Amino acid sequence: MLASIPSPSANGFHIGPLFIHAYGLAYVAAVTAAVVLTRRRWKAQGGDGDLVYDVALWGFPAGVVGGRLYFLATSWNQVPPHWWGPFAIWKGGLGIWGGIALGTLVGLWRLRRAGVSLPLFMDAGAPGLLVAQAIGRIGNYFNQELFGGPTTLPWALQVDAAHTPRGYPIGTTFQPTFLYEMIFDLALAGFLIWLGRTGRIKAPGLFALYVTGYSGFRIWEETLRIDPSHYIFGLRLNLYVAAIFTLIGLTWFIAIQRRPPPAPA
């Protein structure tokens, strides 16, 4: 093969006796980027920028818990066989669907207590969530996980022997599906920002498009991935989840655009 993407030799680094996981650093960077972008967008609408910190303080931990619970519920066979296995998020294993669901619910609870417009804040935060998800996928790269089937494309991913799936020869290169998702997430975030500036979309239409667009992309991505998954009628479980959320998001978006616009922030 003339070209391919090498995987990192380690998934973190040492600072004295302390080992810093790249997966964790990616999530810290992801949250920071989401907060900065959302705060800027919310303040542009006349909102209190400090409210974004409060929502993130509650929403991010809830998202981690929700993501882990979803993983435990749908991929229990991948949990390390130790007492600490259910808590080992540094080894990966955060289901995006559970993370978005619980994180959003807790965030909306904080917004309702603050008495601000939920639809407007959701639209302000949608691009930031996509940017966060894109940065979070860097952690999958360092963990050498969530890649697709074999390929010889110039951007194929190299993985070491310990991470080569059973049944594939050592040295096989794979589809970097996490990279595809990073590119898509950033592109969709940029599109939503542009679309929001046109003033044609009623809130929370941008958030509904975020749900629709991301879920629709995951339908395609799930056809490529080969990591362990539960199957229903020959298709991966997450493909069904993505299809359901695509329909929900699209239906929600259409319904939103038929309603009167929300009150100002």
Side-chain angles (χ1 to χ4, degrees):
M1 178 174 293
L2 297 178
S4 59
I5 302 174
S7 287
S9 57
N11 66 345
F13 56 91
H14 283 277
I15 298 181
L18 184 64
F19 185 77
I20 307 299
H21 291 268
Y23 192 84
L25 286 179
Y27 270 79
V28 171
V31 174
T32 302
V35 168
V36 170
L37 180 56
T38 302
R39 190 170 187 269
R40 179 177 178 180
R41 288 172 54 79
W42 183 238
K43 288 180 66 177
Q45 297 189 48
D48 179 9
D50 290 341
L51 177 62
V52 179
Y53 296 133
D54 181 64
V55 173
L57 182 64
W58 288 83
F60 173 66
V64 172
V65 172
R68 189 59 177 177
L69 290 176
Y70 181 89
F71 178 81
L72 295 176
T74 60
S75 304
W76 59 87
N77 56 317
Q78 300 178 51
V79 179
H82 307 287
W83 68 266
W84 46 262
F87 309 100
I89 60 174
W90 59 87
K91 292 182 175 293
L94 292 177
I96 190 67
W97 309 110
I100 293 174
L102 189 57
T104 299
L105 288 175
V106 172
L108 292 176
W109 167 68
R110 295 301 299 174
L111 292 171
R112 185 171 291 278
R113 286 176 59 90
V116 302
S117 171
L118 272 61
L120 291 178
F121 192 96
M122 292 170 72
D123 272 7
L129 289 175
L130 284 164
V131 171
Q133 289 172 214
I135 297 174
R137 287 305 183 195
I138 298 175
N140 300 136
Y141 170 62
F142 276 88
N143 279 359
Q144 299 190 47
E145 60 185 1
L146 304 189
F147 45 80
T151 183
T152 56
L153 291 169
W155 53 84
L157 177 72
Q158 301 175 22
V159 298
D160 58 33
H163 293 87
T164 299
R166 183 176 300 177
Y168 295 95
I170 303 300
T172 301
T173 52
F174 301 90
Q175 295 270 10
T177 50
F178 55 81
L179 176 61
Y180 301 157
E181 185 173 327
M182 285 178 60
I183 295 172
F184 178 84
D185 287 349
L186 293 175
L188 183 57
F191 173 73
L192 292 183
I193 291 173
W194 169 82
L195 189 60
R197 290 174 178 172
T198 66
R200 301 174 182 175
I201 304 300
K202 298 176 183 177
L206 296 183
F207 193 91
L209 287 177
Y210 152 61
V211 174
T212 305
Y214 176 74
S215 302
F217 173 81
R218 280 296 298 268
I219 294 175
W220 174 75
E221 184 181 353
E222 289 297 326
T223 65
L224 298 179
R225 283 171 49 171
I226 59 172
D227 51 291
S229 175
H230 294 286
Y231 285 77
I232 301 176
F233 300 117
L235 297 175
R236 294 168 61 92
L237 172 62
N238 281 339
L239 189 148
Y240 290 100
V241 176
I244 292 171
F245 274 100
T246 301
L247 293 175
I248 291 174
L250 184 59
T251 303
W252 186 23
F253 175 76
I254 295 173
I256 290 169
Q257 302 315 300
R258 294 179 176 178
R259 298 174 184 171

